[in-house]
Amino acid sequence: MRAKQLLVCLALTLAGTSTIAAKENRCGWIQNPTPGNYWLDDGEGSWILMTQGSEIEPLGMENMPDFTTGDFVQTNGYYGYACGCIEAETERSSDFGDSFLGRISAIYAVKQVPIGQCRADKALPSPE
């Protein structure tokens, strides 16, 4: 009987705290309009990577390449946007208001692709 109670308690604990985050590939506009602000706009909506002044950043942020060396649109000095795909883990949350679906919590790989690929994708909003 005691073993059964322990198993039930363990199962309830794991159910309440365990979330398995799977890698997913998200493609769209990678925006960096000002220092310390990054987000991704894909076909579902916007995902925060970083916000200026916040200490929260995704694991693997060092995997973000220097987009200015590729197909990049400058909108504010050295800042702007590029088109790319991010292999990442996401966390959906309404904590960010209506503007964002959630945040990218881990970045495994990033591939910059030609701007034309995002411009041709009808599911993506305009980056400007």
Side-chain angles (χ1 to χ4, degrees), residues 25-30 63-74 80-87 109-118:
N25 198 41
R26 296 204 160 269
C27 297
W29 298 112
I30 300 173
N63 293 323
M64 295 292 281
D66 177 3
F67 292 108
T68 64
T69 62
D71 202 359
F72 179 77
V73 177
Q74 288 183 316
Y81 61 87
C83 183
C85 295
I86 300 176
E87 185 179 3
V110 181
K111 180 180 179 188
Q112 187 172 359
V113 297
I115 293 280
Q117 183 172 323
C118 284

Side-chain angles (χ1 to χ4, degrees), residues 16-99:
T17 60
S18 176
T19 56
I20 298 173
K23 288 182 189 177
E24 51 187 319
N25 198 41
R26 296 204 160 269
C27 297
W29 298 112
I30 300 173
Q31 309 253 9
N32 176 216
T34 56
N37 291 307
Y38 280 90
W39 66 84
L40 169 72
D41 291 326
D42 68 9
E44 279 191 71
S46 296
W47 301 91
I48 293 174
L49 280 82
M50 287 180 55
T51 57
Q52 188 176 38
S54 173
E55 293 182 17
I56 299 173
E57 73 176 49
L59 297 173
M61 191 65 188
E62 67 275 4
N63 293 323
M64 295 292 281
D66 177 3
F67 292 108
T68 64
T69 62
D71 202 359
F72 179 77
V73 177
Q74 288 183 316
T75 58
N76 180 23
Y78 295 106
Y79 303 97
Y81 61 87
C83 183
C85 295
I86 300 176
E87 185 179 3
E89 290 179 12
T90 61
E91 294 177 4
R92 291 182 182 269
S93 175
S94 60
D95 292 344
F96 304 108
D98 295 335
S99 300

Side-chain angles (χ1 to χ4, degrees), residues 1-13:
M1 178 72 164
R2 179 136 169 91
K4 185 176 178 182
Q5 289 173 331
L6 287 173
L7 285 174
V8 169
C9 287
L10 179 62
L12 289 172
T13 301

